[in-house]
Amino acid sequence: MKKTSHKNQRVNGEVQRELSRIISMEIKDPRICPMTSVTDVIVTSDLKYCKAFISVLGDEEAGKDTIEGLKSATGYIRRELARSINLRNTPEITFVLDNSIEYGIEMSKKIDDIMS
């Protein structure tokens, strides 16, 4: 696996902060769950593409609806990202549902059940 540079790590962190702000404060789509968070962002080194991992607190249907709402608002999100972050290129954003938090909670419960 390729090690990311310091510049790329800074860009990833800044894009993640701005995406979190835009999703939580500026998008008014009712399909997007209010308990949505951006868990990780990976921007390619040429700044053309971005993969945003989204975690939703709720059931599987809420996660699917949130991803659909974000996909429909991609143009608006990208425009706001271009306004707030001064990058050479504004990346094309792909939203991916991240179930790692739910998986961690499930594993923690199983470990607790075994220990007791």
Side-chain angles (χ1 to χ4, degrees):
M1 188 166 140
K2 185 178 176 184
K3 189 174 179 182
T4 58
S5 67
H6 292 292
K7 177 189 171 199
N8 209 6
Q9 289 175 348
R10 285 194 316 265
V11 169
N12 289 345
E14 188 65 26
V15 170
Q16 181 177 354
R17 278 190 294 279
E18 285 302 315
L19 278 179
S20 295
R21 183 188 63 79
I22 292 167
I23 290 170
S24 65
M25 295 182 174
E26 296 186 18
I27 296 181
K28 305 297 184 211
D29 192 333
R31 293 178 289 182
I32 298 175
C33 181
M35 296 300 290
T36 299
S37 61
V38 180
T39 56
D40 195 18
V41 170
I42 300 172
V43 180
T44 58
S45 58
D46 62 355
L47 305 176
K48 299 246 183 213
Y49 301 100
C50 169
K51 190 180 287 189
F53 295 92
I54 306 296
S55 178
V56 179
L57 186 62
D59 59 349
E60 188 174 326
E61 187 66 30
K64 288 180 183 178
D65 289 344
T66 298
I67 293 297
E68 287 301 315
L70 289 173
K71 284 181 182 178
S72 69
T74 300
Y76 174 78
I77 294 170
R78 191 171 178 207
R79 185 174 62 242
E80 290 300 312
L81 194 63
R83 283 187 190 153
S84 60
I85 300 178
N86 187 16
L87 292 174
R88 183 177 49 221
N89 296 320
T90 303
E92 289 183 31
I93 305 169
T94 304
F95 295 103
V96 178
L97 188 60
D98 184 12
N99 294 323
S100 62
I101 295 174
E102 289 87 5
Y103 180 75
I105 291 171
E106 182 182 330
M107 286 295 123
S108 178
K109 284 181 183 177
K110 287 181 180 180
I111 291 171
D112 290 342
D113 289 344
I114 291 173
M115 296 302 284
S116 60

